[in-house]
Amino acid sequence: MSINSTQLVQILSKINMIMEEKKLYLSELDGAIGDGDHGLNMSKGFKAVEEKIKEEDSSDIGNILKKAGMALVLNVGGASGPLYGTAFMKAATCVNGKSSIDIVDFYNMLYEGLKGIKQRGKSDKGDKTMIDAIEPALEELKKGIESKEDSIKILEKVKESSLKGMENTKNIIAKKGRASYLGERSIGHQDPGATSSFYILNTIYEEVKKISK
Ligand SMILES: Nc1ncnc2c1ncn2[C@@H]1O[C@H](COP(=O)(O)OP(=O)(O)OP(=O)(O)O)[C@@H](O)[C@H]1O
Ligand SMILES: [Mg+2]
């Protein structure tokens, strides 16, 4: 697998489309345990990402991801904007100056991105957040690379484990964000941030599969 900057822009643009498509659903999920704005936050954020990147026209993947992260931080009021923004900016630091990336780069990006979310959010796995859809994906990515599997197969397993992590957020009590005010009443509800994280990882899989054909 090798993804160049044009293809990365294509993937980000597809993420924007998916967030627009899932806007209502994500806000509905947030309405049940939060303030009902997650869909709006994500669609606003990734629209800003798409616009920013179009005007940049850079072939440096690190630069593209940095600009994407900044657009998320600057344009999203909610907790998720700064968290996703930090993740993109941290991911950017692994690929500065590169015009193409491979699966190992992606591992490093996701590793740094997740670390950034945990630091910024003072949160960890099991808090019923986006982390619960990202950490299992990162573990699967590591396993796949270590056993030298085909990159597309790895990305498929990555999104599958993210899906499971997302679904598992229904079974746990929220410890961070507004949802934590509900305590035990947050059980039974799927975390909106874990859901948007799954959509991002799923879109990466779908798009890379298309590109690699
Ligand atoms: N401290 C945190 N660490 C990691 N993820 C978090 C944290 N706080 C919230 N989240 C994630 O952000 C999502 C909510 O994002 P949203 O766009 O609705 O922002 P918000 O309304 O400001 O958030 P919140 O109400 O959770 O503070 C949650 O579903 C959760 O996945
Ligand atoms: Mg919200």
Side-chain angles (χ1 to χ4, degrees), residues 30 35 37-38 41 78-80 83 121 123 129-130 177-178 191-193:
D30 194 28
D35 57 356
D37 63 351
H38 189 58
N41 287 339
S80 61
L83 289 167
S123 42
T129 69
M130 52 178 74
R178 257 182 214 97
D191 180 63

Side-chain angles (χ1 to χ4, degrees), residues 5-22:
S5 54
T6 313
Q7 291 162 334
L8 174 70
V9 171
Q10 210 176 300
I11 295 170
L12 290 169
S13 159
K14 187 71 189 200
I15 293 173
N16 175 35
M17 268 177 66
I18 299 292
M19 292 307 160
E20 187 56 40
E21 195 182 300
K22 305 290 184 186

